[in-house]
Amino acid sequence: MKMSGGVAWALHCCVALTTSSRPVPAAKLAELHDVPGSYPAKRLQSLSRAGPIHSGQGKSGPSRGNPAATR
Protein backbone atom coordinates (compact mmCIF):
# COMPACT_ATOMS: atom_id res chain seq x y z
CA MET A 1 0.00 0.00 0.00
CA LYS A 2 1.32 3.43 -0.93
CA MET A 3 0.79 6.39 1.38
CA SER A 4 1.72 9.99 0.83
CA GLY A 5 4.33 11.45 3.13
CA GLY A 6 1.69 13.56 4.87
CA VAL A 7 -0.55 10.56 5.57
CA ALA A 8 2.37 8.54 6.90
CA TRP A 9 3.45 11.45 9.10
CA ALA A 10 -0.09 11.87 10.45
CA LEU A 11 -0.26 8.17 11.27
CA HIS A 12 3.08 8.34 13.11
CA CYS A 13 1.80 11.33 15.08
CA CYS A 14 -1.37 9.49 16.08
CA VAL A 15 0.75 6.61 17.37
CA ALA A 16 3.03 8.99 19.27
CA LEU A 17 0.05 10.80 20.80
CA THR A 18 -1.72 7.63 21.90
CA THR A 19 1.39 6.29 23.60
CA SER A 20 1.91 9.50 25.59
CA SER A 21 0.02 10.09 28.82
CA ARG A 22 0.48 13.86 28.47
CA PRO A 23 -0.21 16.37 25.69
CA VAL A 24 2.62 16.63 23.16
CA PRO A 25 3.57 20.01 21.64
CA ALA A 26 3.55 20.19 17.85
CA ALA A 27 7.18 21.35 17.98
CA LYS A 28 8.12 18.11 19.76
CA LEU A 29 6.33 16.03 17.09
CA ALA A 30 8.24 17.93 14.41
CA GLU A 31 11.50 17.28 16.23
CA LEU A 32 10.73 13.57 16.64
CA HIS A 33 10.04 13.22 12.91
CA ASP A 34 12.83 15.54 11.75
CA VAL A 35 10.52 17.94 9.90
CA PRO A 36 10.41 21.75 10.03
CA GLY A 37 8.55 23.22 12.99
CA SER A 38 5.86 24.68 10.75
CA TYR A 39 5.06 21.34 9.09
CA PRO A 40 2.78 19.90 11.82
CA ALA A 41 0.28 22.77 11.83
CA LYS A 42 -1.72 21.77 8.76
CA ARG A 43 -1.64 18.04 9.49
CA LEU A 44 -2.60 18.42 13.15
CA GLN A 45 -5.39 20.82 12.24
CA SER A 46 -6.84 18.24 9.84
CA LEU A 47 -6.55 15.48 12.44
CA SER A 48 -8.20 17.68 15.06
CA ARG A 49 -11.12 18.46 12.75
CA ALA A 50 -11.55 14.78 11.90
CA GLY A 51 -11.58 13.85 15.58
CA PRO A 52 -8.67 11.51 16.35
CA ILE A 53 -6.80 14.21 18.30
CA HIS A 54 -7.50 17.32 20.36
CA SER A 55 -5.18 20.24 19.78
CA GLY A 56 -4.41 23.34 21.81
CA GLN A 57 -3.89 26.95 20.85
CA GLY A 58 -0.94 28.31 18.88
CA LYS A 59 1.58 26.78 16.50
CA SER A 60 3.24 24.77 19.22
CA GLY A 61 0.08 24.04 21.18
CA PRO A 62 -0.07 20.64 22.80
CA SER A 63 -1.95 17.86 21.07
CA ARG A 64 -3.26 14.67 22.55
CA GLY A 65 -5.04 11.57 21.37
CA ASN A 66 -8.82 11.47 21.56
CA PRO A 67 -9.83 8.23 23.32
CA ALA A 68 -13.46 8.73 22.25
CA ALA A 69 -12.42 8.56 18.59
CA THR A 70 -11.33 4.95 18.98
CA ARG A 71 -14.73 3.78 20.18
Side-chain angles (χ1 to χ4, degrees), residues 3 5-20 22-37 39-48 52-54 62-66:
M3 284 189 266
V7 170
W9 187 86
L11 182 59
H12 283 268
C13 283
C14 285
V15 170
L17 292 171
T18 58
T19 58
S20 176
R22 305 187 82 188
V24 180
K28 181 66 173 173
L29 291 170
E31 180 184 320
L32 287 171
H33 293 97
D34 197 29
V35 295
Y39 186 80
K42 185 176 180 180
R43 304 287 180 217
L44 293 175
Q45 184 179 45
S46 295
L47 287 171
S48 180
I53 68 164
H54 291 293
S63 297
R64 60 185 172 88
N66 180 4

Side-chain angles (χ1 to χ4, degrees), residues 26-27 37-38 40-41 44 57-61:
S38 60
L44 293 175
Q57 296 292 324
K59 278 205 275 194
S60 297

